[in-house]
Every structure is written in structure tokens, then in C-alpha cells.
Amino acid sequence: FDHIEDSDDEKIVLKQAVTLPMGLPREAVSRQEYDNVWRALLQDKQLPFTPAPDLDEMWGYYKFGGMDEQALLDQACEVLGKFPCRLDPKEWKGKTYSLTRKLEMESREDEARMWSILAILRFPDADAFYNQGVLLNKMCDKVKFGGASTVKLPALETSQAKMVSTEQYCSLFSRAAISYYRRSLKVDPKQRPAYINLIGSL
């Protein structure tokens, strides 16, 4: 995405009063604007139940990150603004999947999940829903086998984040993963990996 030219490097305001800081240098983007993009995106009715990402952590990576972190916010703004995809679908999916995998390998699952969410909203095929389920399952397992009795449960309103038991956290993320596997199978009943993972999650 580094080579896509932005001709609209200015804040765009949607009808629902969400300012889209698309293409802006990060020093011009406020924390409120950043959070609002993700709150608006995750309210999309196409999405099954989706646990909130840790916006504190994502904001930290954004403020001190590079082009990939900038691209994640810009692409979210483009989806919210209903801008057409500027790459061929196959190329866009390839780039976003690579970024998703890279972040997953760096244990930055929330940012990986947001790339996955963008893929769902751009191209809602069975693979897109399945990939989100896999990430949710991974986060569930990470906490389940992490040894802690309590863990932070993020919220879209960061002041509402709270500590919950490992059991509560895992129940929530497992339920979300199941929802995404079921949606994957609804899109394509022959999506065998989703079927296998769904059976394993029940």
C-alpha cells in the first residue's frame, strides 16, 4: 500500500459525524479520531459478534510505527468512507493477508484481526470469515495456556476495559470464533477448514 497515491489527504466527515483522518500524518491524528474509526468500523452489521481490540495498544503501535500502521488506519477510513478498492481484488487480498500473518507472528493479534475485518468488509468470502475465527481462537488459546487467573478484556470505550477471569475471556473469544466459523460455512458450506475448526470449538 506504500505506493498508492493519496489525493485526498484531509479529514473526511461522514454523515454520522465520524471524522476520517485518511492520509494524514500521524501527528495530525488525535486519539479520539483514531478510536472513533475502529468503533464505527466494528459496528458494521455484516460482522458477527466481535470482541473489541485493545485500542491502547494499537494506538501505541500507530503513533510510533511506520507505513504498515499508517496503511491500516487509511484502509479502515477507505472502507468506512465506502471508497472503491484501488487495487485488483486478488492483489489487495494478497497484501492484506501478508500483513495479517506478519502481525500475527509478532503477537500483535488485534492489529492482525483488524486487517482481517477489513478483508471481510471488502470481500466477504468464506476465507475472510474463517481467518478471523482462527485469530480469535489463537487469542483464546494464548490466554488459556498463559497461566494467569485474570486478564484484561478491552472495550471500544477504553475506560470500560476491565480485568476478567481467564474462563470468562476464553468463553467470550471462543464464542466469537464459533460465530465466524459458522458465517464462513454459511457463505460456503464446503469450507472444510471452517467445519473442522467449528467442531473442535464446540
Side-chain angles (χ1 to χ4, degrees), residues 125-127 182-192 194:
D125 58 27
D127 286 345
R182 284 182 169 150
R183 183 65 63 84
S184 177
L185 287 165
K186 186 176 180 181
V187 175
D188 179 7
K190 295 180 180 178
Q191 168 62 278
R192 185 168 174 76

Side-chain angles (χ1 to χ4, degrees), residues 78-131:
E78 289 199 11
V79 169
L80 277 175
K82 302 191 183 305
F83 289 87
C85 189
R86 290 184 278 177
L87 294 176
D88 172 80
K90 186 176 180 180
E91 186 181 358
W92 191 93
K93 288 180 184 181
K95 282 180 176 288
T96 56
Y97 185 72
S98 294
L99 287 165
T100 301
R101 290 288 294 155
K102 175 175 176 283
L103 289 163
E104 182 188 357
M105 296 301 290
E106 294 173 0
S107 294
R108 291 164 62 180
E109 286 89 0
D110 277 330
E111 290 161 284
R113 284 204 299 129
M114 294 307 101
W115 275 117
S116 171
I117 291 293
L118 293 175
I120 288 168
L121 296 177
R122 279 287 190 201
F123 306 104
D125 58 27
D127 286 345
F129 287 105
Y130 168 76
N131 289 336

Side-chain angles (χ1 to χ4, degrees), residues 131-176:
N131 289 336
Q132 180 71 196
V134 169
L135 287 166
L136 290 163
N137 256 149
K138 182 180 179 182
M139 295 178 77
C140 176
D141 287 346
K142 192 174 180 179
V143 167
K144 185 188 295 183
F145 301 113
S149 59
T150 59
V151 64
K152 177 185 175 183
L153 181 67
L156 289 176
E157 294 292 341
T158 53
S159 62
Q160 295 175 14
K162 57 185 178 181
M163 298 300 292
V164 298
S165 70
T166 297
E167 289 77 11
Q168 284 177 290
Y169 181 100
C170 290
S171 174
L172 190 75
F173 275 71
S174 178
R175 182 160 55 92

